[in-house]
Amino acid sequence: MDFRETDEQRALRSAVAALAAKYGHGYWVEKAKRGERTDELWREAGQLGYLGVAVPERYGGGGGGITELAIVCEELAAGGCPLLLIVVSPAIAATVIAKSGTEEQRKTWLPGFADGSAKMSFAITEPDAGSNAHNITTTARQDGDGWRLSGRKYYISGVDETEATLVVARTEDARTGTLRPAMFIVPTDAPGYERHEISMEITSPERQYTLFFDDVKLPADALVGGEDAGLAALFAGLNPERITVAAYATGIGRHALGKANEYARTRSVWGEAIGAHQAIAHPLAKAHVELELARLAVQRAAWAYDSDDASAAEAANIAKYAAGEAVINAVDTAVQTHGGNGMATEYGVGTLWAAARVARIAPISREMILNFVAQHSLGLPKSY
């Protein structure tokens, strides 16, 4: 097993870190508190090719995989600029369309994903179904040569920033009459599509929305990959989502821990740096160990996904779990190291608390990951 990154991957990591440093955590916080978008950073990341690293070359992308996109997610977050929409648009939407979309859908969307000029949100969760695609009630019925979409979605990120939303719905199988999952590309300005912002106690430039689809009329080609794509198209995006969220989380943890280490080395009390005391040093060392283990889990999961290895689903869930636990401890340790200053905006750690906490909840909770591992890895009876 070779854990060394290629020269190209190391160069990508260095270049993305430099871009994040150019903007910095202060930029991200200011945008979040003003209710503004991180358009400048997104635009530059797209122009430099970082957002399209996993898009196939023939559509203008870098031709890499989720391994490279995870590097982009991690380094932007490590520089204090965690961009949730990278998880949503390049990781989920672009991957689904590249793997399961029609050729026309690929030609329409992938070049824009590659250079950052196009963004697409992703809508699966519902108030009474969560992420259980078998229980969602948003449905699409055939209407002439097109579709009619009705239903609602909950906690959908960045809808105000995107031109379209990739919506998970259910359609009736003409052969069996049963309902099965399907995905539709829905323009955010389509008649009958409404959004309502959810007020959140979180520092983040990306906003959350409840969506309503009131008999939204869609053309036939809004259906991603045709009627037989089904669950395969959906699952094409869920493992990349878990992997990039895990990378996003480890980057946040690295940023917080870097701030804490600097503070522990330079903050002097009673004539010596507070980092000389084991009560400060050991929690920081423990946080570092946990983050490094989580980063290894992310790298393994990304490799498995890019290699079409059978372990990809388990590895993606493990990476998501490990990163969620590690980032919570890293940010909490960073706050504790700073004492009261940990809650001050200028020190740049308290502002990460809610984003770190979300990594335990979304896109799938730690409890559902443990259910997956218990059932699929350990062979235990299904518990839910």
Side-chain angles (χ1 to χ4, degrees):
M1 298 178 68
D2 189 348
F3 290 98
R4 293 172 297 179
E5 292 182 337
T6 65
D7 291 342
E8 291 80 6
Q9 289 168 343
R10 287 194 295 271
L12 174 65
R13 189 178 291 280
S14 177
V16 176
L19 176 64
K22 175 181 174 180
Y23 286 87
H25 189 58
Y27 163 85
W28 185 85
V29 171
E30 182 180 12
K31 289 291 184 179
K33 292 193 172 183
R34 289 184 177 181
E36 298 175 353
R37 305 170 184 172
T38 54
D39 289 339
E40 303 88 352
L41 174 54
W42 184 274
R43 188 180 305 112
E44 188 166 358
Q47 291 171 347
L48 292 170
Y50 305 151
L51 301 178
V53 290
V55 173
E57 287 183 290
R58 66 181 178 275
Y59 300 106
I66 295 304
T67 298
E68 286 73 25
L69 191 57
I71 288 172
V72 174
C73 282
E74 181 185 354
E75 291 305 322
L76 285 175
C81 300
L83 296 184
L84 182 58
L85 272 181
I86 292 183
V87 174
V88 176
S89 192
I92 303 175
T95 301
V96 167
I97 291 174
K99 285 183 173 287
S100 301
T102 64
E103 183 60 22
E104 188 60 33
Q105 288 167 343
R106 295 187 186 114
K107 290 179 179 177
T108 298
W109 287 100
L110 292 181
F113 288 139
D115 65 14
S117 61
K119 296 180 186 177
M120 188 180 290
S121 38
F122 177 67
I124 182 172
T125 54
E126 296 184 0
D128 299 319
S131 297
N132 185 348
H134 299 288
N135 287 343
I136 62 176
T137 59
T138 298
T139 56
R141 69 180 192 279
Q142 288 189 314
D143 179 32
D145 61 352
W147 300 88
R148 291 280 183 174
L149 181 71
S150 298
R152 63 174 177 161
K153 297 292 182 180
Y154 199 43
Y155 283 109
I156 310 305
S157 304
V159 179
D160 59 317
E161 301 187 44
T162 60
E163 303 93 89
T165 303
L166 186 61
V167 179
V168 181
R170 300 178 78 188
T171 62
E172 184 177 10
D173 188 327
R175 292 163 293 189
T176 65
T178 59
L179 292 176
R180 59 181 183 177
M183 285 188 287
F184 294 84
I185 299 172
V186 185
T188 52
D189 61 356
Y193 182 148
E194 294 184 12
R195 67 173 188 252
H196 297 279
E197 186 175 351
I198 302 170
S199 181
M200 302 290 293
E201 295 295 326
I202 182 173
T203 302
S204 174
E206 293 94 357
R207 303 174 186 178
Q208 302 296 317
Y209 291 88
T210 299
L211 307 182
F212 297 91
F213 305 102
D214 184 9
D215 211 28
V216 177
K217 184 171 178 55
L218 298 171
D221 61 4
L223 177 62
V224 175
E227 294 187 51
D228 292 323
L231 281 173
L234 173 59
F235 288 129
L238 295 186
N239 286 331
E241 179 185 38
R242 285 154 173 67
I243 295 166
T244 50
V245 164
Y248 168 96
T250 59
I252 290 174
R254 283 174 53 202
H255 182 80
L257 194 59
K259 291 284 187 180
N261 288 340
E262 180 182 4
Y263 193 82
R265 287 193 300 267
T266 58
R267 172 67 167 163
S268 181
V269 178
W270 294 302
E272 62 181 347
I274 62 173
H277 302 291
Q278 291 179 351
I280 299 294
H282 283 186
L284 292 173
K286 178 175 179 288
H288 174 75
V289 169
E290 292 174 353
L291 282 172
E292 287 302 302
L293 291 173
R295 293 182 73 205
L296 284 172
V298 172
Q299 291 172 336
R300 173 177 175 265
W303 170 84
Y305 182 84
D306 289 338
S307 304
D308 291 323
D309 192 85
S311 67
E314 180 191 49
N317 278 289
I318 288 174
K320 165 65 173 59
Y321 181 93
E325 299 302 298
V327 68
I328 280 288
N329 182 55
V331 173
D332 186 63
T333 300
V335 170
Q336 192 68 23
T337 299
H338 282 79
N341 286 333
M343 304 308 293
T345 301
E346 68 173 292
Y347 287 87
V349 289
T351 47
L352 295 169
W353 174 255
R357 189 62 182 83
V358 166
R360 265 187 172 179
I361 301 170
I364 185 172
S365 70
R366 64 195 295 271
E367 289 75 20
M368 287 305 295
I369 289 176
L370 293 175
N371 284 335
F372 178 94
V373 171
Q375 180 183 349
H376 296 283
S377 303
L378 305 182
L380 298 174
K382 187 175 181 178
S383 61
Y384 60 96

